[in-house]
Amino acid sequence: IMQYKLLLEDLEEKGIGTAAIIGHEPDLSNFISFYISETALSLKLKKGAVVYIKDKVLYNLIQPDILKC
């Protein structure tokens, strides 16, 4: 959790309002949970998932099977 706080503080200090965070499970879903609510949420991200968050609100969670044509 400390590493998530450090990353968020670093982004804020640098004035970065938009960022793409890429990672592996379970680290990525843990980071998203911490960012949105500072607690553990039950997120299941598959490899290649895309998540859109703005102002600590999760607007979209798109799993890769939806993106296939």
Side-chain angles (χ1 to χ4, degrees):
I1 293 177
M2 188 62 180
Q3 64 196 22
Y4 306 142
K5 286 182 181 182
L6 293 173
L7 174 59
L8 293 171
E9 287 172 2
D10 191 39
L11 292 173
E12 187 175 327
E13 284 176 10
K14 292 179 179 174
I16 298 172
T18 302
I21 309 291
I22 300 166
H24 296 276
E25 285 299 298
D27 295 330
L28 190 56
S29 58
N30 289 341
F31 174 78
I32 292 167
S33 295
F34 177 80
Y35 179 68
I36 292 173
S37 67
E38 296 187 10
T39 62
L41 300 175
S42 179
L43 292 175
K44 302 287 184 190
L45 300 178
K46 294 180 182 176
K47 187 176 187 177
V50 177
V51 179
Y52 173 66
I53 300 168
K54 183 177 181 180
D55 299 323
K56 295 192 175 190
V57 176
L58 192 150
Y59 285 95
N60 290 309
L61 191 164
I62 303 169
Q63 299 288 12
D65 51 334
I66 299 293
L67 299 173
K68 292 181 182 175
C69 297

